[in-house]
Amino acid sequence: MIDPRAGVINERLKMIRRIIAVSSGKGGVGKSLVATTLALALARRGYKVGLFDLDFTSPSTHLILGVRDVQPKEEKGIVPPIVDGLAYMTLVYYSGDQATPLRGADVSNALIELLSVTQWGRLDFLIIDMPPGISDAVLDLVRFVKRIEFLIVTTSSLLAFETVKKQVSLLRDLKVPIIGIVENMKMNAARTIERETEKLGLKFLAGIPFDPQVEETIGDTAKLWNTTIANALKQIAETNVTLN
Amino acid sequence: MHEWALAEAIIAAAEKIAVKEKLREVKEVTIKVGELQQVEEDILRFALSQLKPSSFKNAEFHITKARTALRCRTCGNSWLFRRNKLDEATAEAIHFVPEVAHSYIKCPKCGSPDFEITEGRGVWLENIKGVR
Ligand SMILES: Nc1ncnc2c1ncn2[C@@H]1O[C@H](COP(=O)(O)OP(=O)(O)OP(=O)(O)O)[C@@H](O)[C@H]1O
Ligand SMILES: [Mg+2]
Ligand SMILES: [Zn+2]
């Protein structure tokens, strides 16, 4: 017995120029906010951008975007609706507000299902918001998506950075490109993480300050656009996440 | 339709096997479809007929339905999935991503959502026959 789905995944993704997973060994470091804002920043530079929420059990990007009343279209698969200029896909379309308790094998199955039926069409960038940690979702993405690249988020805490180091070593073993590291929620000007990143031989993409206004921007991307976070990601979109 | 995406996956997988087994012509493809995903057989059949490559032109597609068995991890109870217990929107959500069953279905005995789908989740390619 053969599961036919996995074989079409790269076919589905072949018209996407760059596929970037925003990830971290740690939870709560700002992956969802960074992924969403990066997607918006790229879209507003004129690129065609998709955003895919892969945090099936605790999705957040729909809240950051303030998504309501949209559903994918069915057309030889599932066509993601356009939300704020992004082709946007999330399991929330199907799970609604219900809790979705999934074990590892279920996460893999849902991931394979969505990757094999979603028709993204032509995109310059697909940004993927990852669940925390380096287990099923990371391993499956690397297994199924040939051209995947990672952008890693950490906080200034060495507890977060320690998990990031493990993730970097895993990704290197798997020969997956790493675009660089973003240090989020910085409380001071210390450059420890920047130096540690350079020691790993990776690019330090930005230090994003802790911004107490962020909570008020949740669900309102016009407000989000005017934060220091957005400024940092506009910068990254201009210099480090480009098409050449 | 979503069945088209599945049909495309089935054809791609079947073609790969045909090449591996050096089949010049494929005569028979057997597909197993789990009840949980509620695949519309007619649409799937039509999509397969439209998408098949020339080496499949005389191929017959056998589609067999498999029941969906669920087993509760909390109390051990086993039961069968019944579509008619679900409302339209829920059934459709499960059709697209069977795992969202975990958002809507609970163990009928103890109410736990921690169950496993032991049989009949999705679509499987069971067998392919042809001539070399
Ligand atoms: N630079 C920042 N300044 C202030 N608050 C921030 C900043 N970045 C993120 N936050 C807040 O921190 C919390 C966690 O952010 P987010 O949900 O993006 O993290 P995450 O890494 O995706 O979490 P999870 O691991 O649960 O998916 C959110 O409440 C978010 O609004
Ligand atoms: Mg998140
Ligand atoms: Zn039970």
Side-chain angles (χ1 to χ4, degrees), chain A residues 27-33 55 132 184-185 208-211 214-215 229:
Chain A
V29 296
K31 295 178 290 297
S32 299
L33 201 63
D55 193 352
N184 188 26
M185 302 197 233
I208 304 177
F210 181 87
D211 179 348
V214 163
E215 200 52 35
I229 297 169

Side-chain angles (χ1 to χ4, degrees), chain A residues 22 26-33 35 53 55 58-61 64 129-132:
Chain A
V22 176
K26 255 278 186 278
V29 296
K31 295 178 290 297
S32 299
L33 201 63
D53 196 324
D55 193 352
S58 310
S60 306
T61 53
I64 298 171
D129 181 26
M130 298 294 290

Side-chain angles (χ1 to χ4, degrees), chain A residues 87-105:
Chain A
Y88 178 62
M89 193 67 200
T90 168
L91 195 66
V92 172
Y93 296 136
Y94 306 110
S95 60
D97 291 336
Q98 305 286 326
T100 312
L102 299 179
R103 290 182 181 250

Side-chain angles (χ1 to χ4, degrees), chain B residues 107-120:
Chain B
C107 168
K109 206 163 152 195
C110 78
S112 165
D114 185 16
F115 57 82
E116 59 185 317
I117 304 163
T118 51
E119 266 176 68

Side-chain angles (χ1 to χ4, degrees), chain B residues 71-79 106-115:
Chain B
R71 198 176 63 85
C72 176
R73 286 196 175 96
T74 306
C75 77
N77 178 38
S78 295
W79 75 101
K106 307 251 177 334
C107 168
K109 206 163 152 195
C110 78
S112 165
D114 185 16
F115 57 82

Side-chain angles (χ1 to χ4, degrees), chain A residues 53-235:
Chain A
D53 196 324
L54 254 189
D55 193 352
F56 294 148
T57 56
S58 310
S60 306
T61 53
H62 63 296
L63 300 172
I64 298 171
L65 289 171
V67 176
R68 57 178 83 78
D69 298 334
V70 288
Q71 280 290 322
K73 257 202 336 238
E74 259 188 273
E75 211 178 288
K76 303 205 167 171
I78 297 172
V79 181
I82 302 296
V83 174
D84 233 315
L86 309 173
Y88 178 62
M89 193 67 200
T90 168
L91 195 66
V92 172
Y93 296 136
Y94 306 110
S95 60
D97 291 336
Q98 305 286 326
T100 312
L102 299 179
R103 290 182 181 250
D106 302 320
V107 169
S108 295
N109 255 320
L111 171 69
I112 296 170
E113 194 74 34
L114 283 174
L115 285 174
S116 60
V117 301
T118 305
Q119 303 281 9
W120 294 99
R122 195 173 290 284
L123 292 180
D124 295 312
F125 296 94
L126 177 62
I127 306 298
I128 304 178
D129 181 26
M130 298 294 290
I134 51 175
S135 54
D136 302 83
V138 167
L139 296 172
D140 280 328
L141 259 197
V142 171
R143 184 155 66 113
F144 292 114
V145 180
K146 269 191 296 204
R147 293 176 294 116
I148 192 79
E149 308 167 63
F150 277 70
L151 187 156
I152 297 177
V153 184
T154 182
T155 60
S156 313
S157 163
L158 285 174
L159 297 183
F161 197 77
E162 206 43 45
T163 68
V164 161
K165 275 196 203 159
K166 296 199 172 78
Q167 179 172 21
V168 167
S169 125
L170 169 75
L171 293 173
R172 284 187 166 154
D173 286 344
L174 294 168
K175 304 192 172 46
V176 176
I178 302 169
I179 296 167
I181 291 181
V182 170
E183 179 186 2
N184 188 26
M185 302 197 233
K186 271 179 81 79
M187 306 285 248
N188 56 43
R191 300 186 63 180
T192 320
I193 298 293
E194 189 174 343
R195 278 197 300 271
E196 290 292 319
T197 298
E198 275 151 17
K199 264 196 231 160
L200 287 176
L202 289 171
K203 191 175 266 175
F204 183 78
L205 298 172
I208 304 177
F210 181 87
D211 179 348
Q213 319 269 266
V214 163
E215 200 52 35
E216 286 160 43
T217 74
I218 302 299
D220 185 342
T221 54
K223 275 191 190 155
L224 177 61
W225 195 243
N226 295 316
T227 57
T228 47
I229 297 169
N231 287 337
L233 286 149
K234 288 173 207 171
Q235 192 71 41

